[in-house]
Amino acid sequence: MQVSPQGGMERPSALHLFLIFARIGLTSFGGGLSGWLLREFVQDRAWMTEDEFLNGLSLSQALPGVNVKNMAIWIGYRLLGPPGAVAGLSGIILPPAIVIVALGVLFAWLARFPLTHLALDGAAAAAIGLSLVMGITAARRVRRGVVPLTVMAATFVTVGVLHWPLLWVVLAAGSFSVGVEYARLARR
Amino acid sequence: MPGTLLDLARVFAPLSLVTIGGGQAIVSDIQRQVVDVHHWLTEAQFMNDFAIARMAPGPSSLLVTLIGWQVAGFWGAVVATASIFGPTAFLIYGVAHLWMRYRGARWQEALERGLRSVAAGMILAAVYVLLGTLEGGWMARGITAVATVALMVTRVSPLLLLGCGAAGFVVLRGLGVG
């Protein structure tokens, strides 16, 4: 198993990896972390090739789990094996986790002012825009076929309108959809 | 309290396994569990947390860390965080091995393509649920629409965008609009 960086590049220490992931975790707002990771590890440091990175990215998106956390484990593992995976995971999660609790406490204190509620309502409204753009981007990448579009619509209705439990919807729709794609690929 | 910690783990650990296509996809189910099923937070509290999570740096799924903190303090935050990130961390770790060994296999491509449509439906469902919960009527929805367009046609920083949303809403309300 080749886990060291290629091309005679210096091998980062686990602490170094942790600090890089912590910095990215703490300076990225409103998503888009994958773009930062690409810039850091492929473009700036050349610790992995773009191909290796993109393999990890598609995997991180297709598999369950928060994308950027999956990506941090993938990159950490590729660069440094198990210690790298741990460094990536803890670096991308722990520092921002502390920040969000601090923010929650701060806003709970600010909650005595009516203005805080208005501001948070406005911020939440804009934040939904972030989600919507992500939804539109994802929908654009769905194959234009009867089955994928029906699966997408059925998932939307059962989860969003009918409020069915997500776990069962994903298991049912996911296995059906993956099965159909597998059969398509097999015919090709 | 241990019962609450157990409930937090029971709610968030299964959700971690269906987080496909990004943390946004499970927001509607988090809301259902936290507000409707367990009554840990009110709808308004949940929306505040959602806004804070989107404003804060890092993965937006840290929303559950904040909820855990509010429901059961320090250990609530720890349990919620471990539950949402833990199970799939082992999964991706194992798959990182398999991926290298069976590079380009048909099942990999089928998984990736098949899950795409499900993920898109889930994310859009989350948006639909959030829009229904949003306070502030048509004006707030207008801000959502403007934010969406701004994100699609410009490279505006998300933090700046949320700040403008907050300021815009306060100013419009101050002017007595809506």
Side-chain angles (χ1 to χ4, degrees):
Chain A
M1 183 87 226
Q2 168 87 352
V3 289
S4 59
Q6 290 141 7
M9 231 70 65
E10 113 259 29
R11 192 181 156 100
S13 70
L15 178 66
H16 192 183
L17 270 186
F18 173 85
L19 292 175
I20 292 173
F21 279 106
R23 180 167 52 72
I24 293 174
L26 286 173
T27 52
S28 60
F29 293 91
L33 278 97
S34 302
W36 282 105
L37 293 175
L38 177 74
R39 190 176 302 176
E40 187 79 36
F41 289 98
V42 178
Q43 294 165 351
D44 287 355
R45 298 182 190 269
W47 279 350
M48 60 196 328
T49 66
E50 197 170 275
D51 262 0
E52 283 177 312
F53 185 90
L54 291 178
N55 275 347
L57 189 65
S58 50
L59 191 63
S60 299
Q61 277 177 336
L63 281 172
V66 179
N67 289 350
V68 67
K69 175 223 60 181
N70 284 351
M71 219 31 218
I73 293 175
W74 170 269
I75 294 173
Y77 182 82
R78 289 306 311 274
L79 293 178
L80 213 56
V86 173
L89 174 66
S90 47
I92 207 80
I93 287 179
L94 292 185
I98 294 168
V99 169
I100 199 171
V101 169
L103 275 177
V105 171
L106 176 69
F107 277 104
W109 178 77
L110 288 172
R112 67 186 77 184
F113 309 109
L115 204 60
T116 306
H117 293 287
L118 280 182
L120 278 179
D121 284 344
I128 294 175
L130 281 171
S131 301
L132 183 53
V133 169
M134 210 177 304
I136 292 171
T137 309
R140 273 189 187 153
R141 289 179 59 231
V142 171
R143 185 166 63 79
R144 293 286 169 268
V146 177
V147 172
L149 293 178
T150 308
V151 167
M152 180 169 77
T155 307
F156 173 79
V157 171
T158 50
V159 173
V161 183
L162 303 177
H163 300 283
W164 288 8
L166 201 51
L167 185 61
W168 303 115
V169 172
V170 172
L171 281 180
S175 44
F176 172 70
S177 175
V178 170
V180 168
E181 292 298 332
Y182 189 87
R184 257 177 68 88
L185 289 166
R187 276 201 309 272
R188 203 169 56 185
Chain B
M1 194 57 89
T4 310
L5 290 180
L6 204 61
D7 281 341
L8 282 168
R10 260 204 295 255
V11 166
F12 292 135
L15 280 181
S16 111
L17 293 172
V18 292
T19 310
I20 294 164
Q24 291 314 296
I26 54 166
V27 168
S28 62
D29 213 54
I30 293 178
Q31 197 236 24
R32 188 179 72 84
Q33 296 269 6
V34 169
V35 178
D36 301 339
V37 177
H38 289 279
H39 305 287
W40 283 326
L41 303 177
T42 65
E43 263 190 7
Q45 284 174 319
F46 179 83
M47 283 313 281
N48 281 353
D49 286 358
F50 173 74
I52 292 170
R54 294 317 301 262
M55 244 183 286
S60 55
S61 305
L62 288 172
L63 167 65
V64 306
T65 306
L66 186 54
I67 292 172
W69 170 270
Q70 289 165 343
V71 173
F74 176 78
W75 289 110
V78 171
V79 168
T81 310
S83 303
I84 204 76
F85 293 110
T88 53
F90 289 104
L91 186 66
I92 184 91
Y93 186 85
V95 167
H97 275 298
L98 291 177
W99 185 263
M100 299 313 298
R101 198 172 302 166
Y102 304 100
R103 201 182 286 229
R106 189 186 295 154
W107 56 264
Q108 281 174 357
E109 214 175 326
L111 267 174
E112 200 180 312
R113 292 176 179 210
L115 293 178
R116 209 174 283 167
S117 49
V118 181
M122 283 165 70
I123 299 170
L124 292 173
V127 170
Y128 179 79
V129 169
L130 288 169
L131 278 176
T133 313
L134 189 63
E135 310 222 347
W138 63 267
M139 209 165 64
R141 290 179 181 81
I143 288 178
T144 303
V146 171
T148 306
V149 173
L151 282 163
M152 294 189 80
V153 301
T154 69
R155 296 192 56 84
V156 62
S157 130
L159 185 64
L160 182 66
L161 186 82
L162 300 199
C164 289
F169 197 66
V170 168
V171 168
L172 286 172
R173 266 297 156 85
L175 294 174
V177 185

